[in-house]
Amino acid sequence: MDKPENSSVQPPPPPPPHDRLIFTVNGERFEVPEVDPSTTLLEFLRTNTPFKSAKLGCGEGGCGACVVLLSKQNPNPNLNQIEHFTVSSCLTLLCSVNNCSITTNEGLGSSKDGIFHPIHERFSGFHASQCGFCTPGMCMSLFSAIINSEKDSNRPSKSGFSKLTVSEAEKSISGNLCRCTGYRPIVDACKSFASDVDLEDLGVNSFWRKKRDSIEKVNLSRLLPHYNPKDHASSILKDGYNFASGLLNSERHSWYTPLTIEELQMLLLQHSDRVVEKNGNRIKMVVGNTSNGYYKETEKYDKYIDLRYILELSVVRKDSSGIEFGAAISISKVISYLKQQNCESDLICSKVANHLEKIGSEFVRNSASMGGNLVMAQRKYFPSDITTLLVAVDSTVTILTGQNLHDKPEKITIEEFLQRPPMGPTDVLLSVHIPFIGQTKNEADNLNSRFMFESYRASPRPLGNALPYLNAAFLADISETENGVLVNYINLAFGAYGTKRAKRASRVEEYLSGKLLSVAVLNEAVELVKSDVASDEGTSYGAYRSSLAVGFLFQFLNTFSGDLSEDFKGSLLLEGSDRSKNIEMLSSAKQVVESSRDFYPVGEPMKKIAAAIQASDDIPSPPNCLYGAFIYSTKPSARINNISFNSNTPTAIISAKDIPEKGENIGSTTIFASEPLFSPDFSRCAGDRIAFVVAGTQKSANVAAKTAVLDYDTRDLDPPILTVEEAVERSSFFEVPPFLTPSNVGDFDRGMSESDHKIVNAEIKLGSQYYFYLENQTALAIPDEDNTMAVYSSIQNPEYAQIVIARCLGIPEHNVRVITRRVGGGFGGKAMKAIPVATACALAAHKLRRPVRTYLDRKTDMILAGGRHPMKITYTVGFKSNGKITALHLNILIDAGVTEDSSILIPHNIISSLKKYDFGALSFDLKLCKTNRTSKSAMRGPGEVQGSYIAEAIIENIASHLSIKSDDVRTVNMHEYETLKLFYGSASEECVDYTLPFIWDKVAESSSYFSRACLVEGFNKSNVWIKRGISRVPIVHELILRPAAGKVSVLWDGSIVVEVGGIELGQGLWTKVKQVAAYALGSIKCGEIIDKIRVVQADTLSLVQGGLTAASTTSESSCEAVRICCNLLVERLAPLREKLEEEIGIPVNWETLILQAHFRNINLGVNSYFVPDSSSSRYLNYGAAVSEVEVNILTGETRILRTDIVYDCGQSMNPAVDLGQIEGAFVQGLGFFMQEEYLTNAEGLVVTDSTWNYKIPTIDTIPKQFNVEVLNSGHHQNRILSSKASGEPPLLLAASVHCATRAAIGAAREQMKSWGAVEGVDSSFQLDVPATMPVVKQLCGLNVVETYLQSLIALER
């Protein structure tokens, strides 16, 4: 750690300043003569180097896609050491890496060099990469953890493994997001490096087969790609150790690096007049620049001052009074130092360190400074955890506010610091002092007294990387007396609850000080804290935040229970309520997959191909390229009179006026309708595309778009339609074609007459969900000769993009080539929504005759995306006393947004999925509402996820109404084969294909469902503050095969090129296609040929009729199209093989056969177009899941203890790929049901528009134990190679977690009722989707602590 004690040793002389920016990337030296100082490291890597593995996912430090390793000399000249740590390259300013070495994923190894690091090989072998966009960042996070563990000589070493522990390996990637895999295989790949791992606990991989190798007692570590620290750790970085000397002080770069406070003051004084004139926007003092991830800056600065090399700001001083941290020290170093302490301050040190580890992610904490966090809180009221911790322990800060060189630093309390007016642009925070506990204690104080310190935070993610709903830190001096525990004094600090600053609950402190703890005292304290901790008006979940304050205080005071009287101790059963302190990581999981060799190599769990080079945005920009960004409206239903720019004027503004005379204003199209590319004069919704600005860099285009000023006019206009209820009032609907309108089943009136019970007009509301693909929407358009256009697009539907671009430009379709290599995640969001992005680029390129590309920033992407369809459901249901449903009627209002998009399909999908139970009679009225909101589009399981959940919500309500188990209601309403045929028709196929009853029983057996349900009941009876729930849920999912194109060509050397219309989105389509091609061509018996096959990019001029990659079945259709091609090739080649073998008398190898075929003019290129037979194009897929959760009723936090899934894949083409799809879809479903709030303001503009406020699942929110069985249900005659789809249906199974949470809440409400509560205790209640912490807590009781305490007081009376 930096200079842990005061020292009289003089530091060595500083290196001389220079004006050259010098650094290395993967050992390659870069010298940058001039650069915009606001340029980030990521921008430079992606535009000026060949190293493009670091990706832009969010630009906020919130996703980890851009993580790289930074190696540098410690800024403290007293310490001659090299530091290695990860950073977010999207936030790290390029000038700040002067004299540093950067290692990207390519630095570990790459396909170009043919050398891969064991990390790469294990990620691939554990099937831990799907779309691959997140993989480089994951690899770098793990690599950093490995090399830093190797530096610790006190750690034990084990051959073949790193010095990491399993827990450390898992936590190393806790800040990295993945939308595809569900994390479990990624964690397994990381754990395989841990010294304490049990390799038999790891999941499916390509290195060993569990059954075979376990039986044979094989040393599994020998089967892994070998790791040794000498070759695979710090030695990789040796080329980066030749650090240049000298600090960057450059007028050309506007970057300065002072070494002393005096030098800093001089720099500030030189520009003080200009600072004042420009309102403080001209100078920026930086350490890690991580604040830019939260406060997005568009203004430019005259001068950047790097504070990291000022010795006074980068050292730690420790004396008898406490510890003083320089303000520029990174949060990670503060954590490291505090953990090393073993002194009287240990009471605070370790607990503060543990809390700090939940701030951001490690790659942010590595560069974010403690002082920077405090300055954000003081200037801009950032919801800081650090300020709350410091307020609780009476910390002080030292600041420098004067403009004069002779001004002295000022030392003030942290509370005074926070309460002052915002710091000026030239004010400097120098240090933070944390006092040792007990230093203020008088000798005369009670010798029996002791200090207690605890900190708390409630946030959507237990491991952090999420802002808290509320944080708290408490310090108390307590004494044991004959009469109980006496509170001598107490500090209670609360923050991040919707006020500007962290505050002390002074009235509660005054009340508790000098009091003996009792139930009555505790009751009065929690009443007082509610008034002391009150959110400002307009704060979301204000009542919830206050209830958290009550719960945290309750927990803290009960940490003294060991010293309380027996009566008091016995009444406060707080077991388990503080489990947030002990965050459990993932335990071992079980994956059961069955390989089939019937169609070898189809059926093998082959590694997914091409994941390491994923994402179309890696294509280098051509010379003279421009960049674009959308200007979108922020108001619905408003005229737009003008667009102006106060500054940041772009190179060009492309709008509807620039569409060629023969072109159309068209942005996308379906078979039902089209929508415009731009709305030039009238904004139909907030988020409507108005124009496309073009500039020399993506950053310049983004800034121009964000600072554009739109002049709105709403005079004499009807108010916008922003709800489905308003759409009904004004009859604003889209018409659903008759052939897509679902049909009723049975006689509803008769069914209702047969019922014993009725629930009338019950209501369900479902919100939206954002796709959160890691790669945002992106496209590159390149104009070419003869009025042609080549467009590289990250799209699921290149064929329709070709059609739309041609119509927009007014040119023939053969003049437009759309190329899609791969897509960095799609989930439906890159079907229709990617078309206008590609079209805007093409229009700009057409007008300017220059290449134009765009990469939407995360906020713009989230605002334009639309997402999943919200809806309102009202239902009436009749049922028997045993729960058997006799009739169901639903009124469903679907918010489609302002255009049809793909919404026409949603009604059919809802009903199809909802029909999974035998409802007796089923009728419905579905309305597709046209509103002034962004158009909704298909998202993974579109309509199906809502329909399946609606069925479950009805089942739950019936069970509550009858006071019987919901599982019994599900079972009694399960289809028999005859009713399945009635509800689904020909899609139900043969009776033998109906595997759900078998799956239903199998998942109950494999999960020990019934015995665990009994254990859950017992747990809930004996635990007050933690409640558990368990639920078993089935799915029936209807799938439809669609036509698909294929093309197979064999080249002179025998290598094989395969083209398909299906797009590789990460779902393993290319891998399955490759396996099928190898199987089909293998019938010619010329040896193994799978390694000779390459699947290439989709090209609309090379392969026509490519269609849309969606609805889970494109892999199957593409495989069949390729099989047709290969079978034709075999027909052509078989006679030649026989003839050649007759001539030479020995078997002919593949290369010889192909060479002879070329010489003999045999056509070795085949196109096909697979059209499924209408009688067998529809089929049903089945699955079931059991999930168990526990809910902390003090915070509303839900933890998923275990999930067991059994899913029917038919005869899987690739069990490893299908397993990944099942897990990934389920976890994405968790996001919908439990976490992801896609919210808008009153005008319909998306406000959850960043990684800061939109939280997808992370490794700490998925099931702790995640067991999946990919059921091989045997031969299905009508299916392609007997396989079934896996991409979307498993997402619906995540409803099991929601239903289990509901059960846990039900137990909490029963308990509240037993305490005498009257309100909020009904067994019938609606649990919203998503069931976030505030939602769960409200249903458990915002006043649960008060109710409990009052019940105890009543008993005493």
Side-chain angles (χ1 to χ4, degrees):
M1 186 60 197
D2 298 357
K3 196 183 178 186
E5 309 286 346
N6 278 325
S7 175
S8 60
V9 178
Q10 292 299 313
H18 63 72
D19 64 355
R20 296 175 300 161
L21 174 57
I22 303 171
F23 54 93
T24 66
V25 181
N26 300 327
E28 182 177 335
R29 178 185 168 97
F30 287 86
E31 185 168 338
V32 183
E34 193 167 350
V35 70
D36 180 343
S38 68
T39 301
T40 65
L41 174 59
L42 182 64
E43 290 175 66
F44 184 84
L45 289 173
R46 296 194 60 78
T47 58
N48 293 82
T49 80
F51 308 117
K52 302 184 186 299
S53 62
K55 305 288 195 291
L56 177 61
C58 65
E60 300 167 338
C63 73
C66 69
V67 168
V68 299
L69 189 79
L70 189 146
S71 303
K72 59 176 290 190
Q73 289 179 320
N74 191 299
N76 186 343
N78 290 307
L79 300 173
N80 184 23
Q81 61 181 213
I82 304 298
E83 303 172 329
H84 307 290
F85 52 89
T86 51
V87 296
S88 285
S89 60
C90 71
L91 298 178
T92 302
L93 294 174
L94 184 66
C95 290
S96 72
V97 304
N98 183 56
N99 291 349
C100 297
S101 173
I102 307 301
T103 305
T104 71
N105 195 52
E106 294 95 336
L108 307 188
S110 69
S111 57
K112 179 180 178 182
D113 300 326
I115 301 172
F116 289 98
H117 194 278
I119 290 176
H120 297 149
E121 294 179 297
R122 296 191 192 184
F123 263 70
S124 177
F126 278 97
H127 312 288
S129 180
Q130 289 186 21
C131 89
F133 197 86
C134 71
T135 306
M138 294 273 188
C139 290
M140 295 312 300
S141 291
L142 175 60
F143 178 69
S144 175
I146 288 174
I147 64 169
N148 282 301
S149 74
E150 296 295 348
K151 293 192 298 184
D152 188 346
S153 59
N154 294 320
R155 290 175 179 247
S157 59
K158 182 179 176 182
S159 178
F161 296 89
S162 74
K163 293 183 179 180
L164 286 177
T165 64
V166 163
S167 177
E168 290 168 338
E170 290 182 338
K171 287 183 178 179
S172 70
I173 50 101
S174 62
N176 296 73
L177 301 185
C178 175
R179 193 56 149 170
C180 298
T181 65
Y183 296 102
R184 196 273 315 158
I186 297 174
V187 171
D188 276 354
C190 295
K191 286 161 66 173
S192 73
F193 287 91
S195 58
D196 58 343
V197 69
D198 183 346
L199 292 177
E200 290 192 8
D201 285 344
L202 302 183
V204 170
N205 61 79
S206 63
F207 306 120
W208 62 76
R209 299 290 177 88
K210 280 198 169 184
K211 290 183 180 179
R212 180 193 68 198
D213 292 320
S214 295
I215 291 171
E216 296 177 4
K217 301 297 182 184
V218 174
N219 184 346
L220 299 182
S221 64
R222 293 183 180 179
L223 302 178
L224 286 169
H226 185 62
Y227 164 82
N228 71 76
K230 181 179 179 182
D231 298 327
H232 300 128
S234 299
S235 59
I236 290 177
L237 309 175
K238 60 182 181 297
D239 292 335
Y241 286 178
N242 298 318
F243 295 102
S245 61
L247 300 174
L248 184 63
N249 281 288
S250 171
E251 284 281 354
R252 287 185 299 168
H253 294 87
S254 302
W255 188 275
Y256 300 87
T257 310
L259 294 175
T260 65
I261 298 295
E262 291 73 20
E263 288 182 19
L264 172 62
Q265 287 179 296
M266 287 295 296
L267 285 168
L268 296 175
L269 287 171
Q270 287 172 12
H271 279 246
S272 59
D273 293 337
R274 295 172 64 187
V275 169
V276 173
E277 289 171 10
K278 299 296 183 179
N279 298 317
N281 289 333
R282 308 301 289 174
I283 290 182
K284 181 173 184 177
M285 288 179 278
V286 296
V287 176
N289 195 47
T290 53
S291 64
N292 204 43
Y294 191 76
Y295 300 105
K296 313 297 191 304
E297 295 176 345
T298 55
E299 67 268 25
K300 292 184 178 180
Y301 294 90
D302 281 347
K303 179 183 290 189
Y304 287 74
I305 302 177
D306 187 350
L307 303 179
R308 295 172 301 160
Y309 294 88
I310 300 175
L311 184 59
E312 293 94 324
L313 302 187
S314 60
V315 296
V316 181
R317 296 181 177 87
K318 175 182 164 186
D319 58 24
S320 60
S321 68
I323 308 171
E324 186 172 44
F325 291 99
I329 295 175
S330 71
I331 295 173
S332 288
K333 286 186 177 180
V334 172
I335 293 169
S336 177
Y337 186 83
L338 291 174
K339 283 187 172 182
Q340 294 169 11
Q341 295 308 293
N342 185 20
C343 57
E344 62 268 47
S345 65
D346 188 54
L347 167 69
I348 287 181
C349 290
S350 62
K351 292 182 177 180
V352 168
N354 289 336
H355 191 117
L356 293 180
E357 286 187 318
K358 298 179 181 65
I359 297 174
S361 52
E362 184 171 3
F363 45 80
V364 171
R365 295 193 298 268
N366 287 339
S367 50
S369 66
M370 191 176 192
N373 184 284
L374 297 182
V375 170
M376 283 200 302
Q378 204 272 349
R379 276 185 184 158
K380 300 184 177 182
Y381 315 123
F382 178 75
S384 165
D385 283 79
I386 296 179
T387 56
T388 305
L389 296 168
L390 297 180
V391 165
V393 297
D394 295 320
S395 293
T396 56
V397 297
T398 303
I399 58 175
L400 186 62
T401 58
Q403 297 288 328
N404 193 302
L405 282 174
H406 302 292
D407 289 333
K408 298 298 182 183
E410 181 182 9
K411 191 169 187 176
I412 58 176
T413 67
I414 183 69
E415 289 184 87
E416 183 182 350
F417 171 71
L418 294 174
Q419 291 165 4
R420 284 188 174 187
M423 293 175 67
T426 58
D427 295 342
V428 185
L429 175 63
L430 300 179
S431 64
V432 179
H433 184 266
I434 300 177
F436 287 156
I437 299 305
Q439 292 302 309
T440 59
K441 188 178 176 70
N442 295 323
E443 293 182 5
D445 287 347
N446 190 337
L447 296 178
N448 291 326
S449 73
R450 61 190 176 92
F451 285 93
M452 300 292 292
F453 176 81
E454 290 291 346
S455 70
Y456 305 86
R457 81 192 307 264
S459 79
R461 293 173 178 159
L463 282 178
N465 201 22
L467 292 177
Y469 293 108
L470 177 124
N471 55 42
F474 307 145
L475 175 67
D477 181 354
I478 62 171
S479 299
E480 300 175 35
T481 72
E482 293 180 358
N483 298 320
V485 172
L486 174 69
V487 178
N488 297 314
Y489 76 78
I490 189 168
N491 289 356
L492 304 172
F494 296 91
Y497 58 94
T499 55
K500 290 181 178 180
R501 301 180 176 93
K503 295 180 180 179
R504 295 261 291 271
S506 55
R507 291 203 300 164
V508 189
E509 293 175 355
E510 291 171 8
Y511 172 76
L512 287 173
S513 295
K515 293 284 195 309
L516 285 170
L517 285 182
S518 68
V519 173
V521 167
L522 198 53
N523 184 61
E524 182 63 23
V526 298
E527 289 296 330
L528 286 172
V529 84
K530 286 190 289 187
S531 57
D532 265 3
V533 183
S535 303
D536 291 346
E537 186 176 349
T539 302
S540 61
Y541 309 119
Y544 168 65
R545 295 172 196 257
S546 290
S547 74
L548 286 174
V550 168
F552 290 158
L553 178 62
F554 183 56
Q555 287 180 246
F556 179 64
L557 295 180
N558 278 279
T559 59
F560 316 153
S561 62
D563 304 311
L564 297 176
S565 68
E566 288 302 314
D567 292 340
F568 188 41
K569 185 167 59 177
S571 68
L572 295 172
L573 303 175
L574 219 71
E575 68 299 314
S577 65
D578 201 19
R579 297 187 182 192
S580 60
K581 301 291 181 184
N582 303 306
I583 298 168
E584 299 173 7
M585 300 303 289
L586 307 185
S587 62
S588 61
K590 181 174 67 175
Q591 297 86 43
V592 179
V593 298
E594 298 180 35
S595 299
S596 168
R597 298 184 68 87
D598 292 352
F599 310 110
Y600 182 86
V602 175
E604 286 295 297
M606 187 174 127
K607 289 189 287 188
K608 184 181 172 296
I609 59 174
I613 53 172
Q614 203 75 317
S616 59
D617 195 46
D618 285 345
I619 301 166
S621 293
N624 210 28
C625 188
L626 295 170
Y627 298 81
F630 283 106
I631 295 177
Y632 54 82
S633 64
T634 56
K635 292 183 178 295
S637 192
R639 300 183 194 92
I640 297 174
N641 296 328
N642 184 46
I643 302 173
S644 61
F645 299 87
N646 294 331
S647 58
N648 305 305
T649 304
T651 302
I653 305 173
I654 307 298
S655 67
K657 299 173 184 177
D658 298 295
I659 294 172
E661 184 178 349
K662 295 182 180 180
E664 303 175 42
N665 183 10
I666 180 172
S668 69
T669 188
T670 67
I671 62 172
F672 308 109
S674 300
E675 68 174 65
L677 177 60
F678 297 118
S679 296
D681 303 317
F682 188 84
S683 165
R684 301 164 301 166
C685 62
D688 213 356
R689 296 180 300 273
I690 305 302
F692 189 67
V693 298
V694 178
T697 66
Q698 188 65 63
K699 178 194 285 186
S700 298
N702 290 348
V703 170
K706 289 183 187 304
T707 56
V709 179
L710 276 64
D711 179 15
Y712 297 102
D713 179 8
T714 59
R715 290 173 298 175
D716 303 324
L717 293 175
D718 290 334
I721 299 171
L722 295 173
T723 67
V724 290
E725 292 87 353
E726 291 171 355
V728 171
E729 289 176 10
R730 293 163 64 174
S731 298
S732 178
F733 306 115
F734 292 114
E735 185 176 347
V736 179
F739 74 95
L740 285 175
T741 302
S743 301
N744 293 342
V745 179
D747 186 333
F748 173 75
D749 291 335
R750 180 180 174 183
M752 290 298 288
S753 67
E754 295 172 352
S755 66
D756 300 328
H757 306 269
K758 298 180 179 66
I759 296 174
V760 180
N761 291 333
E763 192 174 286
I764 303 169
K765 287 187 176 181
L766 295 174
S768 187
Q769 184 184 19
Y770 170 58
Y771 307 96
F772 216 105
Y773 28 66
L774 264 289
E775 175 197 48
N776 295 337
Q777 299 280 9
T778 182
L780 165 64
I782 305 173
D784 207 344
E785 62 183 11
D786 198 22
N787 203 26
T788 60
M789 185 70 63
V791 180
Y792 294 85
S793 176
S794 178
I795 191 170
Q796 297 173 235
N797 194 1
E799 180 185 8
Y800 273 43
Q802 179 188 33
I803 294 168
V804 169
I805 291 168
R807 286 175 59 183
C808 181
L809 301 183
I811 57 179
E813 289 175 18
H814 66 216
N815 279 27
V816 179
R817 165 176 267 136
V818 178
I819 299 169
T820 300
R821 292 183 174 178
R822 292 158 302 274
V823 174
F827 317 115
K830 292 180 181 172
M832 298 299 113
K833 294 294 184 179
I835 299 176
V837 178
T839 304
C841 281
L843 177 60
H846 181 80
K847 178 184 178 180
L848 302 173
R849 305 312 300 169
R850 290 172 63 179
V852 175
R853 82 183 307 162
T854 188
Y855 186 87
L856 268 58
D857 64 82
R858 182 60 69 180
K859 178 174 182 175
T860 301
D861 197 296
M862 296 188 78
I863 287 173
L864 302 187
R868 199 181 289 283
H869 289 77
M871 56 191 68
K872 177 184 177 182
I873 305 97
T874 306
Y875 65 89
T876 295
V877 62
F879 47 94
K880 298 285 191 180
S881 294
N882 67 348
K884 179 67 186 76
I885 299 171
T886 58
L888 172 65
H889 177 79
L890 304 111
N891 293 308
I892 303 180
L893 303 176
I894 305 163
D895 188 343
V898 74
T899 65
E900 290 97 327
D901 198 277
S902 54
S903 299
I904 303 299
L905 303 170
I906 300 301
H908 168 272
N909 291 1
I910 292 172
I911 298 303
S912 173
S913 184
L914 181 140
K915 292 188 297 187
K916 65 181 179 178
Y917 291 116
D918 175 12
F919 292 115
L922 175 64
S923 66
F924 36 80
D925 179 17
L926 295 93
K927 288 183 169 60
L928 202 57
C929 300
K930 180 180 181 181
T931 64
N932 291 109
R933 291 181 177 270
T934 51
S935 301
K936 308 308 168 191
S937 196
M939 181 175 178
R940 199 175 195 174
E944 290 106 340
V945 64
Q946 294 99 324
S948 185
Y949 170 73
I950 292 166
E952 299 304 336
I954 293 169
I955 292 287
E956 293 283 348
N957 201 1
I958 291 171
S960 296
H961 186 89
L962 296 173
S963 297
I964 62 177
K965 294 178 180 178
S966 57
D967 192 74
D968 293 340
V969 181
R970 289 186 174 92
T971 302
V972 78
N973 286 290
M974 202 76 73
H975 279 293
E976 300 290 339
Y977 177 64
E978 291 306 316
T979 60
L980 186 78
K981 286 180 65 177
L982 175 65
F983 276 70
Y984 285 100
S986 62
S988 58
E989 299 183 285
E990 301 299 323
C991 183
V992 70
D993 296 308
Y994 181 41
T995 57
L996 183 57
F998 171 75
I999 291 171
W1000 189 242
D1001 294 337
K1002 187 173 182 64
V1003 77
E1005 179 184 357
S1006 64
S1007 67
S1008 304
Y1009 170 71
F1010 293 108
S1011 61
R1012 285 169 57 207
C1014 292
L1015 291 173
V1016 164
E1017 288 185 18
F1019 179 92
N1020 288 338
K1021 288 177 181 177
S1022 59
N1023 287 267
V1024 176
W1025 306 106
I1026 298 289
K1027 298 298 179 184
R1028 288 184 178 175
I1030 189 169
S1031 180
R1032 177 172 57 151
V1033 166
I1035 57 166
V1036 177
H1037 197 109
E1038 184 175 5
L1039 295 128
I1040 303 174
L1041 285 174
R1042 295 197 311 274
K1047 181 179 178 181
V1048 179
S1049 307
V1050 188
L1051 307 181
W1052 280 82
D1053 64 351
S1055 58
I1056 302 156
V1057 180
V1058 177
E1059 296 178 64
V1060 288
I1063 305 301
E1064 176 58 60
L1065 310 170
Q1067 82 280 44
L1069 184 149
W1070 281 10
T1071 307
K1072 290 182 176 180
V1073 162
K1074 183 174 182 177
Q1075 289 175 276
V1076 168
Y1079 159 69
L1081 291 175
S1083 64
I1084 205 165
K1085 297 185 175 17
C1086 286
E1088 287 279 349
I1089 60 171
I1090 192 164
D1091 291 334
K1092 304 180 189 300
I1093 299 169
R1094 183 185 176 207
V1095 186
V1096 298
Q1097 65 194 21
D1099 182 334
T1100 57
L1101 292 188
S1102 178
L1103 185 71
V1104 301
Q1105 297 177 288
L1108 168 66
T1109 300
S1112 301
T1113 59
T1114 309
S1115 293
E1116 297 167 66
S1117 298
S1118 296
C1119 286
E1120 184 62 12
V1122 167
R1123 186 167 69 140
I1124 292 169
C1125 293
C1126 293
N1127 288 342
L1128 286 171
L1129 282 171
V1130 170
E1131 286 180 21
R1132 296 174 188 175
L1133 290 170
L1136 175 61
R1137 181 185 64 83
E1138 292 174 6
K1139 184 176 180 180
L1140 290 173
E1141 290 183 353
E1142 287 177 6
E1143 292 175 357
I1144 63 177
I1146 59 173
V1148 177
N1149 64 30
W1150 176 256
E1151 288 81 3
T1152 301
L1153 176 64
I1154 297 306
L1155 188 63
Q1156 289 299 317
H1158 276 288
F1159 285 139
R1160 301 184 191 209
N1161 299 319
I1162 294 175
N1163 184 359
L1164 295 180
V1166 180
N1167 281 63
S1168 70
Y1169 190 62
F1170 163 63
V1171 180
D1173 188 285
S1174 59
S1175 64
S1176 60
S1177 62
R1178 297 169 59 234
Y1179 69 91
L1180 300 179
N1181 217 352
Y1182 310 102
V1186 171
S1187 290
E1188 181 181 353
V1189 307
E1190 69 177 23
V1191 170
N1192 183 329
I1193 67 174
L1194 291 177
T1195 65
E1197 180 186 4
T1198 301
R1199 293 193 182 179
I1200 310 168
L1201 302 179
R1202 177 174 167 181
T1203 290
D1204 294 78
I1205 295 174
V1206 177
Y1207 183 79
D1208 184 1
C1209 269
Q1211 196 160 304
S1212 172
M1213 290 187 183
N1214 185 317
V1217 165
D1218 286 331
L1219 174 66
Q1221 288 294 286
I1222 293 166
E1223 292 176 333
F1226 182 86
V1227 170
Q1228 195 169 83
L1230 286 182
F1232 176 67
F1233 286 113
M1234 302 301 295
Q1235 290 181 246
E1236 298 175 33
E1237 295 181 287
Y1238 198 26
L1239 306 176
T1240 65
N1241 64 14
E1243 295 186 299
L1245 181 69
V1246 171
V1247 291
T1248 47
D1249 55 9
S1250 71
T1251 57
W1252 289 95
N1253 51 30
Y1254 191 88
K1255 297 300 180 184
I1256 70 171
T1258 43
I1259 67 165
D1260 51 345
T1261 56
I1262 66 173
K1264 304 304 175 191
Q1265 187 174 354
F1266 197 0
N1267 304 321
V1268 179
E1269 178 172 354
V1270 182
L1271 184 68
N1272 188 335
S1273 58
H1275 186 69
H1276 296 270
Q1277 186 174 354
N1278 294 325
R1279 304 278 60 80
I1280 295 168
L1281 297 182
S1282 300
S1283 70
K1284 288 187 170 186
S1286 61
E1288 292 176 295
L1291 187 147
L1292 283 55
L1293 291 171
S1296 62
V1297 173
H1298 191 270
C1299 293
T1301 304
R1302 190 183 189 281
I1305 294 170
R1309 292 165 75 90
E1310 286 181 24
Q1311 180 176 263
M1312 281 277 283
K1313 191 174 183 179
S1314 73
W1315 292 339
V1318 176
E1319 295 182 357
V1321 295
D1322 294 342
S1323 60
S1324 295
F1325 58 91
Q1326 180 61 41
L1327 176 59
D1328 289 346
V1329 175
T1332 59
M1333 291 173 68
V1335 168
V1336 172
K1337 170 61 176 169
Q1338 183 164 3
L1339 289 172
C1340 289
L1342 293 176
N1343 61 341
V1344 62
V1345 171
E1346 299 92 309
T1347 303
Y1348 172 64
L1349 292 174
Q1350 287 159 13
S1351 72
L1352 295 181
I1353 292 171
L1355 287 174
E1356 290 177 356
R1357 293 172 184 162

